[in-house]
Amino acid sequence: MGKVAVGAAVVCAAAVCAAAALVVRHRMQSSGRWARAMAILKEVEEKCGTPISKLRQVADAMTVEMHAGLASEGGSKLKMLISYVDNLPTGDEKGLFYALDLGGTNFRVLRVQLGGKDKSVVNQEFDEVSIPPHLMTGTSEELFDFIARALEKFVATEGEGFHPAPGRQRELGFTFSFPVRQLSISSGTLIKWTKGFNIEDAVGQDVVGELTKSMEKIGLDMRVAALVNDTIGTLAGGRYHNQDVAAAVILGTGTNAAYVERAHAIPKWHGLLPKSGEMVINMEWGNFRSSHLPLTEYDQALDVESLNPGEQIFEKIISGMYLGEVVRRVLSRMAEEADFFGDTVPPKLQIPFILRTPDMSAMHHDTSPDLRVVGGKLKDILEISNTSLKMRKTIVELCDIVATRGARLSAAGIFGILKKLGRDTVRDGEKQKSVIALDGGLYEHYTKFSACMESTLKELLGGEIAESIVIEHSNDGSGIGAALLAASHSQYVGVEES
């Protein structure tokens, strides 16, 4: 019996040793995997780095490209489009004005009653209309007839508080958020459709002419006074409330900037200089690119697989459409190379754009002790459960790296505009106040992004100048802004109301 007992004890001990060895090997493997995941994160952090010296290089490159784009057509990656808006609202505008905002599968019709200097916007109403899917790929006539009928119906509901001036034509500002070659303040030809529209016979046509034909057909007496995009609408809305507004930036699904340029500083402008001496420039800054931009392999892969490779590089690293996708691509690599989510790569994680920026923002802002929101998002969107607190913390850190890069580069872009305008320094001991009007869901809802952008801009400007540069949220530029531009470009400007 003694031998048997000893034998059993030896076998037992061997089994315990084997089990312990397995545990140790598993721990070593898992710590090896964790180290690999951390190495991937560290590399992303380094490649996304935006030290202040790099941001200054980006801002300088933005200024150089702005000069090049103003000098000649096609001279720069920045289109620097002449908007023909040479009269921004002053706040003195009076009367009833309409706006039409077409930029996606819905459009809005809007009216505002303006009361002049002391009363500003006395009254406003709007209505939203869905575009039937068949009209998005039909004919130009069908689409604009549908829009004209919706406008006619909206005009018919003009009630108390809205007073069209007797004997005057109603006037409309038209926000058309598709690529347009602007020909004047109230005309422009469609370059191409985006966002699911594909109406071939409208390409190359003047969109204001098309809308006007449809309105005339049903006897709707309304003049399109201004054709603008949403960024210029935001600039107009900002300027209406504050005459120190010098530029507008949209940070939403996409991104763009517009600003007020001195007309004589636009070499490619061959027309008569406007009376105001100013011209609004639509930068189309999403297409900016520079060797100084901190791009990673994830950005390059995203670009190659996109619908517009080589285009909109700046937009692809700072805007809401793409931030969540960059995070997804890094997590996917961590899952493949470091088994970050276990032995298999979660199938949902391999679906492009499944992780949206609002979800990334929710995870980034999670302050619960166990990062409950992060766990919930991983489960609901990617079907990944059983995540440890350590893993959740890593994901929050990744969100921070990607959002911080985008926010700091946005600030560098704004700094570039201020440099171009000479507002980055104190001139002759005078501090000129400059306001930047901002709009877009990314700026409005992703608090850590906007806070980081604003503090970075202060850092770039330095204490003294930072006091005279203000960022203001300018809400609904594409709606009210367009109506205000109809007012400032009205055919009745300078004609006293009888």
Side-chain angles (χ1 to χ4, degrees):
M1 278 303 282
K3 281 185 182 172
V4 173
V6 168
V10 168
V11 169
C12 223
V16 168
C17 284
L22 269 174
V23 168
V24 168
R25 192 179 317 138
H26 180 71
R27 279 204 183 133
M28 281 172 69
Q29 274 178 344
S30 105
S31 71
R33 286 199 295 254
W34 184 257
R36 176 74 195 116
M38 291 304 97
I40 291 170
L41 185 71
K42 190 95 193 95
E43 185 189 19
V44 172
E45 186 174 26
E46 281 166 11
K47 293 247 176 87
C48 285
T50 48
I52 210 77
S53 56
K54 185 179 269 294
L55 294 178
R56 290 191 188 284
Q57 290 174 318
V58 170
D60 288 343
M62 181 72 81
T63 308
V64 166
E65 289 294 324
M66 288 172 76
H67 279 283
L70 290 172
S72 62
E73 290 301 339
S76 160
K77 274 283 184 189
L78 293 178
K79 289 200 173 71
M80 302 300 284
L81 301 171
I82 292 168
S83 70
Y84 295 87
V85 170
D86 53 9
N87 281 313
L88 282 165
T90 59
D92 294 335
E93 292 77 12
K94 280 184 177 176
L96 171 65
F97 295 93
Y98 278 78
L100 164 65
D101 179 11
L102 174 63
T105 49
N106 295 340
F107 65 87
R108 284 186 313 153
V109 284
L110 185 128
R111 60 176 150 247
V112 293
Q113 184 75 39
L114 303 175
K117 204 59 177 174
D118 303 318
K119 296 185 184 150
S120 66
V121 179
V122 178
N123 213 339
Q124 59 172 299
E125 287 179 341
F126 77 93
D127 197 12
E128 193 154 327
V129 183
S130 282
I131 299 173
H134 71 274
L135 291 183
M136 293 169 68
T137 53
T139 67
S140 179
E141 186 180 6
E142 287 168 342
L143 176 68
F144 285 104
D145 282 359
F146 179 78
I147 292 170
R149 281 195 300 275
L151 261 170
E152 179 189 37
K153 207 187 280 183
F154 187 60
V155 169
T157 64
E158 235 172 54
E160 285 298 308
F162 292 98
H163 311 289
R168 287 190 179 183
Q169 204 179 9
R170 285 182 179 82
E171 293 180 295
L172 172 89
F174 184 7
T175 302
F176 186 74
S177 300
F178 298 92
V180 158
R181 187 165 286 108
Q182 196 96 18
L183 304 170
S184 73
I185 180 62
S186 58
S187 63
T189 55
L190 175 65
I191 296 169
K192 63 171 181 182
W193 289 105
T194 54
K195 308 174 201 178
F197 282 78
N198 188 17
I199 302 169
E200 284 177 24
D201 67 345
V203 175
Q205 297 300 313
D206 174 12
V207 291
V208 173
E210 295 293 292
L211 177 61
T212 303
K213 264 191 307 198
S214 292
M215 292 194 296
E216 284 171 353
K217 209 191 288 183
I218 55 172
L220 177 58
D221 185 23
M222 191 178 264
R223 169 182 172 265
V224 179
L227 172 68
V228 295
N229 77 0
D230 53 355
T231 317
I232 289 163
T234 299
L235 183 61
R239 178 67 79 96
Y240 181 72
H241 295 292
N242 188 333
Q243 289 298 298
D244 291 323
V245 168
V249 175
I250 302 263
L251 284 165
T253 306
T255 182
N256 194 13
Y259 74 103
V260 184
E261 184 56 276
R262 299 170 297 273
H264 63 77
I266 310 170
K268 69 181 179 183
W269 172 256
H270 300 302
L272 290 169
L273 286 182
K275 279 197 201 84
S276 66
E278 294 182 334
M279 177 62 73
V280 174
I281 297 293
N282 167 16
M283 289 176 63
E284 292 293 335
W285 88 345
N287 207 36
F288 170 69
R289 70 180 306 171
S290 154
S291 58
H292 298 298
L293 290 176
L295 296 172
T296 67
E297 64 197 84
Y298 308 99
D299 303 301
Q300 278 147 358
L302 184 155
D303 176 49
V304 168
E305 293 165 32
S306 69
L307 295 172
N308 53 348
E311 300 291 312
Q312 301 296 105
I313 299 299
F314 195 49
E315 180 167 86
K316 284 171 184 165
I317 53 177
I318 71 169
S319 84
M321 174 88 187
Y322 301 100
L323 296 177
E325 173 61 4
V326 174
V327 169
R328 181 199 70 82
R329 283 171 179 269
V330 178
L331 288 177
S332 182
R333 169 99 180 272
M334 286 162 83
E336 283 160 20
E337 293 188 13
D339 295 344
F340 187 69
F341 295 109
D343 296 336
T344 55
V345 177
K348 284 274 171 88
L349 186 58
Q350 293 174 302
I351 302 171
F353 294 98
I354 191 168
L355 187 64
R356 294 160 52 254
T357 301
D359 299 316
M360 167 189 172
S361 170
M363 294 196 290
H364 193 178
H365 289 99
D366 188 359
T367 54
S368 60
D370 57 348
L371 296 177
R372 216 174 28 253
V373 176
V374 179
K377 290 287 179 194
L378 293 172
K379 193 166 183 295
D380 297 344
I381 298 160
L382 301 172
E383 293 176 2
I384 298 167
S385 37
N386 308 327
T387 49
S388 67
L389 183 58
K390 195 161 73 159
M391 286 163 78
R392 294 175 189 186
K393 280 182 173 164
T394 303
I395 289 164
V396 172
E397 203 179 326
L398 174 59
C399 293
D400 190 62
I401 290 166
V402 174
T404 298
R405 175 184 67 164
R408 285 175 68 81
L409 288 172
S410 306
I414 294 171
F415 185 54
I417 297 173
L418 291 168
K419 280 177 83 98
K420 170 71 182 72
L421 292 173
R423 305 216 181 179
D424 59 321
T425 51
V426 174
R427 304 252 153 163
D428 313 320
E430 256 186 57
K431 277 192 203 167
Q432 186 180 6
K433 190 178 174 210
S434 304
V435 177
I436 314 289
L438 258 115
D439 198 14
L442 180 66
Y443 171 75
E444 199 179 343
H445 303 300
Y446 200 145
T447 314
K448 282 183 187 281
F449 185 100
S450 35
C452 174
M453 184 197 73
E454 291 183 33
S455 64
T456 304
L457 184 60
K458 283 193 169 70
E459 193 184 344
L460 283 162
L461 288 162
E464 198 182 358
I465 296 287
E467 290 167 27
S468 56
I469 309 288
V470 180
I471 285 180
E472 272 182 10
H473 182 210
S474 171
N475 211 349
D476 187 33
S478 54
I480 289 188
L484 294 170
L485 285 164
S488 63
H489 290 83
S490 164
Q491 61 195 328
Y492 305 111
V493 164
V495 178
E496 281 304 308
E497 282 201 22
S498 48

